[in-house]
Amino acid sequence: MNQSIKSFVRARTRLSKLNRFLLNNSPSASFCKVEHFESFDCNQSSDKRILEIGFGDGENLISSAQNNLNFFFFGVEVYEMGVANILKSMETNGISNVKIILGDVKEVLEKNSVEDYFDEILIFFPDPWPKRKHNKRRLVSEDFLFEIKKILKKDGVLIIKTDWKEYAEEIEQNVKKVFGRYKKSLDKKSNLVTKYEKIALKENRKITSFETY
Ligand SMILES: C[S@@+](CC[C@H](N)C(=O)[O-])C[C@H]1O[C@@H](n2cnc3c(N)ncnc32)[C@H](O)[C@@H]1O
């Protein structure tokens, strides 16, 4: 997988002291930075393991974790502010069935050594990189999906949503090549509307969802 082309630009926001503290002192059971990541693993027994990639502000992750206490969730995100906010929310709400990894998911997948591990993997509204010269930055490439397929259980499900028509076409080609079997839906109702889904709805963009099986 090409790790040198980044699917994100690091934000230059200054973190508050509290946020910096959370990123440096959160317990290892619930948080790690990619440089310390070794592999996905959780010692707790859980009915399902779910991974959300690029969770942004983390509203879906928090709500899903609170509503499914017998599931274990992993979230990977590069956006420090989003990670600090979710760590705060996990602490305030006593959420212990989530582990957050701060860093580039491609690096996380390079380091990971477990396969057939997740029941569900979610990628909601990956950055569309609409300018043609930036298309290479799109996360959901064929190579990336091959890596995702390795960590998904044989009967696991990958769900991807996008509001960008051209990206939806590219994702469909890649999903077809790598997974073969998938369902495609237009404007499917979500259990929880994320920040970027809200923007898409406000700007009247159609939402395409892919679900492999
Ligand atoms: C458009 S936002 C969508 C956020 C959220 N899923 C939502 O629906 O509101 C895309 C998110 O993916 C994250 N992201 C992009 N590339 C990533 C990567 N390689 N590893 C981890 N997160 C990434 C960005 O930081 C950003 O928060």
Side-chain angles (χ1 to χ4, degrees):
M1 195 168 29
N2 191 336
Q3 258 214 57
S4 56
I5 302 174
K6 299 290 181 205
S7 60
F8 56 88
V9 176
R10 280 197 197 281
R12 290 219 191 125
T13 33
R14 262 180 89 92
L15 289 175
S16 65
K17 268 195 181 151
L18 172 61
N19 284 350
R20 180 65 50 212
F21 178 85
L22 287 165
L23 295 184
N24 288 326
N25 298 282
S26 289
S28 60
S30 54
F31 174 65
C32 87
K33 295 184 182 177
V34 65
E35 47 271 39
H36 303 128
F37 176 83
E38 287 174 3
S39 202
F40 291 109
D41 201 5
C42 67
N43 295 321
Q44 288 129 314
S45 63
S46 51
D47 292 350
K48 275 190 178 185
R49 297 187 195 112
I50 298 172
L51 167 66
E52 185 170 342
I53 297 169
F55 57 74
D57 286 341
E59 57 276 74
N60 181 66
L61 204 43
I62 288 291
S63 154
S64 305
Q66 285 178 316
N67 291 322
N68 298 285
L69 296 176
N70 47 340
F71 295 177
F72 197 88
F73 295 81
F74 285 88
V76 182
E77 176 55 74
V78 278
Y79 165 51
E80 286 189 328
M81 191 82 92
V83 169
N85 284 338
I86 201 170
L87 290 173
K88 218 179 297 169
S89 180
M90 283 161 58
E91 198 182 309
T92 313
N93 295 295
I95 294 173
S96 57
N97 56 336
V98 179
K99 181 157 182 173
I100 301 297
I101 300 144
L102 170 64
D104 183 345
V105 66
K106 292 186 190 173
E107 212 180 320
V108 170
L109 294 178
E110 290 266 332
K111 292 182 150 196
N112 170 55
S113 60
V114 293
E115 298 197 348
D116 289 332
Y117 191 73
F118 287 105
D119 296 276
E120 271 178 36
I121 300 184
L122 313 172
I123 310 177
F124 293 159
F125 304 94
D127 296 297
W129 293 106
K131 287 190 184 153
R132 191 177 289 259
K133 65 175 178 184
H134 291 146
N135 284 180
K136 288 193 293 296
R137 286 179 171 270
R138 288 177 172 168
L139 180 66
V140 188
S141 65
E142 199 181 322
D143 284 359
F144 178 72
L145 289 182
F146 272 116
E147 297 306 312
I148 290 293
K149 195 176 179 185
K150 285 187 199 159
I151 58 169
L152 201 56
K153 288 183 181 170
K154 293 287 171 274
D155 58 351
V157 179
L158 165 68
I159 302 175
I160 307 176
K161 293 189 206 177
T162 182
D163 57 333
W164 214 262
K165 188 171 170 286
E166 221 200 286
Y167 198 9
E169 286 162 10
E170 185 179 328
I171 291 172
E172 182 163 14
Q173 291 307 316
N174 294 337
V175 167
K176 198 183 280 178
K177 272 191 216 150
V178 177
F179 288 88
R181 285 152 42 111
Y182 64 95
K183 276 189 297 199
K184 176 181 169 182
S185 334
L186 271 189
D187 290 336
K188 192 175 168 197
K189 262 218 151 336
S190 303
N191 294 337
L192 186 135
V193 178
T194 64
K195 177 176 169 188
Y196 278 82
E197 184 158 2
K198 273 188 203 130
I199 298 172
L201 293 171
K202 198 168 154 218
E203 297 179 359
N204 282 322
R205 280 194 296 278
K206 288 210 170 304
I207 295 167
T208 313
S209 313
F210 297 96
E211 192 170 327
T212 65
Y213 63 93

